Amino acid sequence: MDPRVRTWAPVGQAVALLLGPYTEVVLHDPDTDRILAIWNPMTSRGPGDQSFLGELDKPDPAARDVFGPYEKLLAAGRRLSSVSAVLRGPDGGPSAVLCVNLDRSPLEQASALLSAFGAPTTPLPEPLFEQDWNERVQHVIGAYVRECGRPVERLTRADRLAVLARLDEAGVFAVRRATPVVTGAL
């Protein structure tokens, strides 16, 4: 057994067990451009197969050793997030390259399901809420927060003035006792 495989096998196995069955871990030989070991393979490749890493020159020992996460695509169309780490030997040169490939398909499916589950499907029924000024306050402030991309507690003075102008346009301040509700929401 290659000593690099013996050294790095516990790491490859641990990552594959933790993130499996959605993660493939591959140990590459940068000198021969071949796969040394693979845990939880997602394709038919195996030890001894071509790595297709490209040429890995003798990088400067101070150079970056971790790359990613970057996107890869499997033939079946599944998207992967990948990270590669250059593992250096005692001489400072690249001894092996460890790649971790995470199949994002289950995460994307879960995200789509959760987004669809809580998403409103019809507009707010005006006849039910036209007198609900508290709902209008929440709607105006929430819309502004989504537009500017900052939470309420990080709104600037200019942001707060813009929100107040929108609330005034929506007629909120014409309602008695609306000011304390607006103050509490902001």
Side-chain angles (χ1 to χ4, degrees), residues 19 21-24 42 69-74 77-82 101-112:
L19 300 174
Y22 304 108
T23 299
E24 169 186 79
M42 291 187 198
Y70 51 89
E71 185 174 88
K72 290 174 66 177
L73 199 60
L74 291 177
R78 295 184 347 228
R79 292 176 17 183
L80 306 176
S81 287
S82 300
N101 303 309
L102 174 68
D103 182 354
R104 295 181 4 198
S105 303
L107 297 172
E108 290 168 349
Q109 291 167 353
S111 175

Side-chain angles (χ1 to χ4, degrees), residues 141-160 162:
I141 295 173
Y144 189 86
V145 164
R146 281 189 301 282
E147 284 174 27
C148 75
R150 286 186 301 278
V152 172
E153 53 278 354
R154 291 188 45 219
L155 293 179
T156 65
R157 183 177 191 280
D159 290 329
R160 291 178 191 278

